[in-house]
């Protein structure tokens, strides 16, 4: 089915706006691409379309203009959202310190048929589906259309828990865009989890549709509903599966993450550290869909398998789906880079800049003759990591752009990387490697920094950061700084402190500290002047 607009009731929204503003929108004659109208006190009113913006007047917005709109819409709730009865439009307010509305965002709501086609086979399985995506990518539109298809075409009993009346519109009569599905309104956003449970206990639904799961109580209510055999279709705060895994509040939706300590023998058998991360429980949602744009999604058909793969540093099973200009849906399996999984987070940055913003592609490397490392013609190395984190080693390889791959069989290896304590134990595999003439490189610790330096030695590279030589001879200083950073990150993540300022360090070490903070999904910035410039880490 082609994607078609059913109704956006745009004229009802324009009728709530001051005449000069609504007339300017009509003259622009591009209502199909209109996303929202912004009215801020003392600024020019602005219309935002797909791909461009347009000022609607040369006169600044006044208090009377804002009051004109407020008088023609429904009442604002605790979430500062209001609507227009029997439409999907949403008006959000910005208040000053006295509670007076001084800004409005009038977002155009649309019911769109056909959007569900890209995941319709998943909806028909009866399994619970979680939708993720940035604002404006069509999460709520897809959720609404999914509810309609489940109710009208699959003839299931569907109940929508509509916190902000965004799925089924404002007023007591729901918008026809949800079809036969029933809607339960939520009096206060903080009560959403109670309404979710009430829907199951009182109305015998086969499907519960929820928008914006964002708290621990709502995540627990979702798990309770799933355990009762009810299909869940919902959205959550987060853009990707990786975001969800590092979110301590919502990670339970994908099974939760826990640290497990392995025995010495098991750790050697797996070739990992003794402390590893594992999934804690079955995921609440069996399928996860990352909405990348209106016509492109990434699908994880087995969330449990995907989370397990990520925690092992492997490629999670997933596929890319997209709709072409002829509304034909294409599917293709994809390989995405494994995610680094340190003790308290799973997100891996690639390179870094001061102010905590990630960019670039990591350290630039040149060989001893000064040529760029990306042009190296050395034969690829096949590395067998023994006791070394595979995902961190993969990250080091990608950052340095060296021709190396990680292998799982010692027989395929051209070199072995291990840690000092494993080498001292003289295990059978390491002895076997040395007997076969395979070089064994011993790392002092299991950090990406150590791995990068060892790779630089293997490939005869001279490491540069912003064209300044990295001080390779003070490992103890780097280790001390990274340990301090990890402790600070732990304190912030656990809520012990809101922010932590680290000891003043060199520019190179500060970059490493910014990268670590980014991996754990935290913010960081550099403060002060050299030699007292230091990194501050906070949420």
């Amino acid at each position: 089915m082609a994607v078609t607009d059913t109704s956006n009731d745009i004229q009802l929204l324009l009728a709530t706006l001051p005449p000069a503003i609504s007339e300017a929108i009509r003259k622009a004659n591009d209502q199909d691409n209109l996303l929202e109208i912004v009215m801020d006190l003392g600024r020019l009113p602005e219309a935002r379309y797909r791909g461009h913006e347009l000022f609607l007047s040369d006169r600044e917005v006044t208090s009377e203009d804002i009051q004109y709109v407020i008088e023609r819409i429904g009442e604002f709730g605790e979430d500062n959202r209001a609507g227009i009865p029997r439409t999907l439009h949403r008006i959000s307010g910005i208040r000053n310190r006295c509670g007076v509305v001084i800004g409005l965002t009038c977002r155009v709501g649309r019911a769109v048929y056909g959007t569900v086609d890209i995941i319709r086979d998943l909806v028909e399985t009866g399994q619970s589906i979680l939708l993720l995506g940035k604002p404006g990518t069509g999460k709520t539109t897809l959720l609404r259309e999914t509810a309609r298809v489940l109710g009208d075409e699959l003839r299931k009993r569907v109940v929508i828990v509509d916190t902000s009346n965004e799925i089924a519109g404002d007023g007591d009569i729901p918008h026809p865009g949800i079809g036969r599905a029933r809607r339960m309104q939520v009096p206060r956003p903080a009560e959403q989890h109670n309404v979710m449970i009430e829907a199951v206990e009182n109305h015998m639904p086969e499907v519960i549709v929820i928008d914006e799961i964002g708290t621990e109580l709502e995540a627990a209510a979702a798990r309770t509903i799933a355990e009762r055999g009810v299909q869940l279709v919902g959205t959550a705060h987060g853009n990707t599966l990786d975001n969800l895994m590092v979110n301590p509040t919502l990670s339970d939706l994908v099974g939760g993450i826990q640290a497990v300590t392995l025995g010495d023998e098991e750790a050697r058998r797996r070739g990992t550290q003794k402390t590893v991360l594992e999934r804690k429980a079955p995921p609440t949602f069996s399928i996860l869909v990352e909405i990348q744009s209106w016509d492109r999604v990434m699908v994880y058909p087995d969330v449990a398998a995907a989370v397990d793969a990520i925690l092992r540093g492997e490629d999670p099973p997933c596929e890319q789906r997209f709709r072409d200009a002829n509304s034909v849906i294409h599917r293709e399996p994809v390989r995405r880079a494994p995610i680094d999984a340190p003790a308290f987070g799973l997100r891996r940055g690639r390179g870094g800049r001061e102010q905590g913003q990630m960019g670039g592609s990591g350290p630039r490397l040149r060989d001893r003759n000064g040529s760029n490392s990306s042009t190296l013609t050395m034969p690829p190395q096949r590395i067998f990591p023994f006791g070394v984190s595979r995902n961190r080693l993969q990250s080091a390889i990608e950052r340095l752009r060296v021709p190396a791959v990680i292998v799982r069989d010692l027989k395929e290896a051209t070199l072995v990387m291990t840690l000092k304590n494993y080498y001292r134990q003289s295990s059978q595999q390491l002895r076997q490697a040395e007997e076969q003439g395979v070089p064994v490189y011993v790392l002092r610790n299991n950090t990406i920094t150590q791995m990068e330096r060892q790779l630089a030695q293997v490939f005869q590279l001279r490491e540069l950061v912003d064209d300044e030589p990295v001080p390779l001879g003070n490992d103890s200083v780097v280790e001390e700084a990274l340990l301090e950073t990890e402790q600070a990150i732990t304190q912030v993540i656990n809520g012990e402190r809101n922010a932590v300022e680290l000891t003043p360090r060199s520019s190179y070490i500060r970059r490493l500290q910014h990268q670590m903070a980014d991996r754990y999904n935290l913010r960081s910035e550099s403060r002060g002047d050299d030699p007292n410039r230091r990194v501050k880490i906070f949420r």
Side-chain angles (χ1 to χ4, degrees), residues 262-333:
L262 306 175
D264 292 340
E265 192 62 34
E266 177 65 13
R268 280 195 293 270
R269 186 186 69 80
R270 294 191 186 187
T272 65
Q273 303 176 82
K274 291 187 65 175
T275 301
V276 298
L277 295 181
E278 291 187 351
R279 181 167 49 84
K280 185 163 50 178
T284 302
F285 291 87
S286 303
I287 300 170
L288 187 141
V289 179
E290 294 176 2
I291 304 176
Q292 299 172 342
S293 67
W294 281 80
D295 296 313
R296 183 176 294 271
V297 300
M298 179 82 79
V299 174
Y300 297 86
D302 187 340
V303 170
V307 171
D308 291 344
I310 290 174
L311 293 177
R312 290 194 301 266
E314 300 172 354
D315 298 332
C318 56
E319 69 174 13
Q320 186 93 43
R321 299 185 178 187
F322 63 93
R323 182 188 290 107
D324 63 20
N326 298 318
S327 296
V328 177
I329 295 170
H330 303 267
R331 304 180 189 177
E332 52 188 36

Side-chain angles (χ1 to χ4, degrees), residues 189-386:
E191 297 297 320
Q192 174 166 295
H193 63 284
N194 289 329
V195 178
M196 291 164 62
I197 298 299
E198 180 188 341
V200 177
E201 293 177 343
N202 291 353
H203 303 290
M204 293 197 314
E206 295 175 283
V207 183
I208 293 283
V209 175
I210 321 158
D211 197 11
E212 295 186 355
I213 300 173
T215 69
E216 192 170 348
L217 289 173
E218 291 162 6
R223 177 168 290 278
T224 299
I225 293 171
E227 289 172 348
R228 298 187 186 190
V230 178
Q231 180 182 3
L232 284 168
V233 183
T235 66
H237 296 291
N239 298 333
T240 64
L241 173 58
D242 311 322
N243 292 152
L244 221 54
M245 291 174 67
V246 298
N247 186 327
T249 303
L250 300 180
S251 63
D252 186 58
L253 297 176
V254 293
I257 310 299
Q258 64 182 356
V260 177
T261 302
L262 306 175
D264 292 340
E265 192 62 34
E266 177 65 13
R268 280 195 293 270
R269 186 186 69 80
R270 294 191 186 187
T272 65
Q273 303 176 82
K274 291 187 65 175
T275 301
V276 298
L277 295 181
E278 291 187 351
R279 181 167 49 84
K280 185 163 50 178
T284 302
F285 291 87
S286 303
I287 300 170
L288 187 141
V289 179
E290 294 176 2
I291 304 176
Q292 299 172 342
S293 67
W294 281 80
D295 296 313
R296 183 176 294 271
V297 300
M298 179 82 79
V299 174
Y300 297 86
D302 187 340
V303 170
V307 171
D308 291 344
I310 290 174
L311 293 177
R312 290 194 301 266
E314 300 172 354
D315 298 332
C318 56
E319 69 174 13
Q320 186 93 43
R321 299 185 178 187
F322 63 93
R323 182 188 290 107
D324 63 20
N326 298 318
S327 296
V328 177
I329 295 170
H330 303 267
R331 304 180 189 177
E332 52 188 36
V334 296
R335 286 175 57 88
R336 43 161 281 179
I339 304 300
D340 190 21
F344 295 98
L346 295 157
R347 189 167 165 222
R348 182 182 70 224
R350 296 172 181 255
R353 296 178 183 147
E354 297 251 354
Q355 307 302 327
Q357 297 193 4
M358 305 307 295
S361 55
R364 293 192 293 277
L365 296 174
R366 299 176 185 172
D367 63 18
R368 298 189 185 276
N369 296 321
S371 61
N372 192 291
S373 65
S374 62
T375 62
L376 288 176
T377 57
M378 293 181 63
Q381 294 287 348
R382 299 186 297 277
I383 305 174
F384 177 74
F386 186 80

Side-chain angles (χ1 to χ4, degrees), residues 28-69:
N29 196 28
D30 193 15
Q31 297 173 14
D32 289 343
N33 291 313
L34 180 63
L35 297 178
E36 60 188 16
I37 301 104
V38 175
M39 297 173 59
D40 288 333
L41 185 64
R43 293 184 174 182
L44 300 180
E46 183 179 359
R48 295 174 179 170
Y49 298 86
R50 290 194 183 103
H52 71 282
E53 295 83 29
L54 174 68
F55 287 117
L56 301 173
S57 173
D58 55 4
R59 184 178 65 86
E60 295 177 348
V61 173
T62 65
S63 300
E64 289 74 17
D65 293 330
I66 292 177
Q67 193 61 34
Y68 184 95
V69 177

